[in-house]
Amino acid sequence: MADQAYQPTLSQLRAFVAVAECRHFGTAAARLGVSQPTLSQGLAALENGLGVQLIERSTRRVLVTTAGEALLEQAKQILEAADGFVVSAAGVGHALSGPLRIGLIPTIAPYVLPALLPAIRTDLPAVTPQVVEDQTARLLDALRGGALDVAVLALPSDAAGMAEIPLYTEEFVMVVPRSHPLAGRADLTPGVLDELPLLLLDEGHCLRDQTLDLCRSVDAHPIAGDTRATSLTTVVQCVAGGLGVTLVPASAVAVETARGDLTTARFAAPAPGRTVGLVFRASSGRVEAYERLADLIRSVAPGVPRT
């Protein structure tokens, strides 16, 4: 009868699989690099613990019992999983390899990914990136739950249990129709936002919150409209259609002003802006590896000063 508290060891399972495949104790022992008595003891301990005869022994031949045949494939799967675990562990320390689940907010993803993904293929060829674009709150939830490894978003995240690596700081730039009175100016102050028809992203986007915080900081009261958009591209095209003006991060300017009769107006120094960073679980133990990823993101981020 099997001992319900019994847990087979990997060495015992290896002994069973080796004997079952080699059908010879001496050959199986040589394959595992152990003595034949050690092999026999391991197999006997496995059979006793399970309460099942796995191998039928005789002086002339070795046979796998019916019970042994039924359990052999599962034993192989367990050993393969254990070996795969060891191989995976070799890549989760200081080096980056295997799947890397990266979250990005919508006001970063379209502008960083076109350069970042090829850079990962070149500089981190052992990494298989998996990309998730979502709002900050949901990305942080995914990080907490282990569904993401890292996230690129605006700092600070103010999330318990998270570590942050600042990547770059970029200014906010006003996008306006080319015929707008502010077009081409580079001396704006935040107070100019007062009573402007300012178009914003929908609720939940951090850029919306940052823009409103900027307005509040200078007691500006922009003219609120009924336009609602979930992407920066849509907001900018509404600007091109004459519905108002908007603020975009510097990294988005080249892409978003390429279509339509649009131009920019910039703030005088120190210009309002945001800090973008790499966020990950503090418990991950992969600070060194993620520092390398951070360096790579800094090297390809568009429209921001290189440090």
Side-chain angles (χ1 to χ4, degrees):
M1 180 179 295
D3 180 358
Q4 296 301 313
Y6 171 73
Q7 294 290 326
T9 66
L10 292 177
S11 60
Q12 291 168 357
L13 291 174
R14 292 189 196 283
F16 165 47
V17 171
V19 172
E21 291 182 339
C22 297
R23 304 297 175 102
H24 189 277
F25 276 75
T27 304
R31 172 171 140 180
L32 296 179
V34 299
S35 67
Q36 190 167 326
T38 297
L39 178 80
S40 297
Q41 289 167 9
L43 178 59
L46 178 64
E47 291 177 318
N48 290 334
L50 296 175
V52 174
Q53 184 179 1
L54 303 170
I55 300 295
E56 183 178 333
R57 308 155 178 83
S58 73
T59 55
R60 294 187 176 182
R61 59 182 180 175
V62 173
L63 298 175
V64 181
T65 66
T66 301
E69 291 286 2
L71 294 172
L72 181 58
E73 190 59 35
Q74 191 170 359
K76 290 180 181 179
Q77 292 173 358
I78 292 170
L79 294 174
E80 288 172 359
D83 292 340
F85 177 81
V86 173
V87 170
S88 296
V92 299
H94 298 304
L96 283 172
S97 65
L100 181 65
R101 300 163 297 178
I102 308 171
L104 303 98
I105 56 176
T107 57
I108 292 176
Y111 318 111
V112 169
L113 286 177
L116 178 59
L117 294 178
I120 289 176
R121 286 196 298 270
T122 300
D123 292 14
L124 300 172
V127 169
T128 304
Q130 300 172 353
V131 172
V132 174
E133 182 188 64
D134 212 334
Q135 295 179 7
T136 298
R138 289 196 285 266
L139 292 180
L140 290 173
D141 285 343
L143 278 174
R144 293 188 194 96
L148 286 178
D149 298 308
V150 297
V152 183
L153 42 80
L155 300 183
S157 67
D158 293 327
M162 297 295 159
E164 300 175 351
I165 302 175
L167 296 173
Y168 55 85
T169 298
E170 60 180 341
E171 66 182 50
F172 293 147
V173 178
M174 186 179 294
V175 176
V176 299
R178 197 170 296 277
S179 59
H180 196 277
L182 298 178
R185 290 193 38 190
D187 60 349
L188 302 184
T189 64
V192 76
L193 298 172
D194 192 34
E195 297 188 1
L196 270 181
L198 188 62
L199 303 180
L200 301 171
L201 285 169
D202 207 354
E203 292 183 4
H205 291 272
C206 61
L207 182 59
R208 173 192 177 92
D209 297 334
Q210 292 158 354
T211 301
L212 291 176
D213 286 343
L214 174 62
C215 293
R216 284 190 287 266
S217 72
V218 294
D219 198 27
H221 301 86
I223 301 170
D226 294 327
T227 299
R228 299 171 63 89
T230 60
S231 77
L232 203 53
T233 297
T234 300
V235 172
V236 171
Q237 290 309 304
C238 287
V239 172
L243 299 186
V245 303
T246 195
L247 297 184
V248 305
S251 57
V253 169
V255 172
E256 296 301 347
T257 60
R259 293 178 298 167
D261 196 19
L262 296 166
T263 189
T264 61
R266 294 182 178 267
F267 292 91
R274 69 179 182 181
T275 297
V276 173
L278 192 68
V279 180
F280 54 94
R281 291 181 299 280
S283 60
S284 68
R286 306 193 70 189
V287 175
E288 185 175 331
Y290 293 150
E291 285 281 7
R292 184 179 178 191
L293 177 63
D295 286 340
L296 190 60
I297 296 172
R298 290 188 195 102
S299 72
V300 301
V304 296
R306 300 289 180 254
T307 57

